[in-house]
Amino acid sequence: MLPAAFLTHARFLLRRFCQHKTAAALAVPLLAACEGPLSTLSPSGPAAEDAARLLWGMLIGGGLITLMICVMLVLAIRARAGSGRGERFWIWGWGLGFSLPVLTILVGFSLWIGERMLARADDALRVEAHAARWDWEFVQPGPDGQPVRTETTLFVPAGSSFDVFISSEDVIHSFWVPQLGGKMDAVPGHVNVHRLRADAPGTYEGLCAEFCGVGHPFMRFTVIAYDPAAPMPDMSEYIIEDAQP
């Protein structure tokens, strides 16, 4: 009676597992919806493209290591006592011999990607982003070429690199435009420089990615990349005041 009870319970668990597995499989298309204005997998600039490549590289590397562990578990379960390879084969051959090269490649790739994102001393356009609870102010060239200060909206030319000089008024915030690049903290008393570029004209959504208080969800902003060969968009409704360089 005992084995039969165990078999019945096992069949019940198998059916439950299959039901949940089917539900999970059907939910994948919804959970994998990676399009949208805040998607890091819809890059529109070189920094965001590099970040997406790094994400896929780490996903592939992590998948290979996970597959290796699953294979080792299956072999360990099927192995009989006193048979098979010794500990040296599993630890050095698989544990280190396989994992270490994969992790080394990923670390090297991430360092190379990170170096490509650094701001450099060149003629890139300079703009400023200043965070304060709970709003963003930007300084960029206006229609006449003179710096102007705008609220919640940054205007930059498409197709050209620009450096964002990021600062904070009060607490730590984080400047993030997912389709253009990674995050960069805004630290009180310090200025961080973030190199970005929008490949094509368009509107790109940004937000504060560091919890900074009750108004954190409202710290969103917009980056408008305009065609440098066309007239600049109307900035009048966003301008706070003229900004001295």
Side-chain angles (χ1 to χ4, degrees):
M1 294 296 294
L2 189 59
F6 272 115
L7 289 175
T8 302
H9 185 62
R11 286 195 293 269
F12 171 75
L13 292 177
L14 182 61
R15 286 197 298 269
R16 290 285 301 274
F17 173 77
C18 291
Q19 292 173 355
H20 291 305
K21 188 175 181 180
T22 302
L26 293 175
V28 166
L30 298 177
L31 299 177
C34 296
E35 296 292 334
L38 296 177
S39 173
T40 58
L41 298 181
S42 298
S44 298
E49 290 175 357
D50 286 342
R53 291 191 190 100
L54 181 60
L55 184 150
W56 287 114
M58 295 181 67
L59 181 63
I60 293 171
L64 291 175
I65 294 177
T66 302
L67 179 62
M68 179 203 70
I69 294 174
C70 293
V71 171
M72 292 177 66
L73 285 174
V74 172
L75 293 176
I77 293 172
R78 297 180 61 181
R80 297 180 180 178
S83 63
R85 306 278 186 169
E87 294 180 358
R88 183 177 296 274
F89 172 79
W90 297 108
I91 295 176
W92 292 95
W94 284 93
L96 294 178
F98 182 84
S99 301
L100 193 58
V102 172
L103 294 176
T104 301
I105 292 173
L106 290 177
V107 170
F109 184 54
S110 64
L111 292 176
W112 178 69
I113 290 293
E115 195 274 339
R116 284 164 51 90
M117 296 181 182
L118 295 177
R120 307 181 185 280
D122 52 22
D123 58 351
L125 174 68
R126 169 175 173 157
V127 299
E128 299 177 14
H130 187 69
R133 292 187 294 187
W134 287 276
D135 202 359
W136 289 91
E137 292 184 3
F138 302 99
V139 176
Q140 67 271 282
D144 58 356
Q146 296 299 313
V148 295
R149 189 181 303 275
T150 57
E151 187 176 22
T152 69
T153 303
L154 172 64
F155 294 83
V156 295
S160 300
S161 297
F162 59 94
D163 290 337
V164 187
F165 286 71
I166 305 170
S167 59
S168 173
E169 181 73 23
D170 33 48
V171 299
I172 296 178
H173 302 275
S174 187
F175 179 94
W176 189 28
V177 187
Q179 291 184 305
L180 298 185
K183 307 172 186 177
M184 181 67 74
D185 283 345
V187 182
H190 180 74
V191 177
N192 285 327
V193 184
H194 198 20
R195 169 68 59 97
L196 296 174
R197 189 181 81 193
D199 288 335
T203 300
Y204 304 96
E205 299 295 327
L207 71 162
C208 174
E210 182 80 21
F211 181 72
C212 52
V214 295
H216 168 72
F218 306 105
M219 281 198 68
R220 292 177 174 258
F221 60 92
T222 302
V223 176
I224 296 180
Y226 57 87
D227 184 354
M232 287 187 63
D234 184 15
M235 304 171 60
S236 58
E237 62 177 300
Y238 305 101
I239 293 178
I240 303 174
E241 59 183 355
D242 291 339
Q244 298 299 320

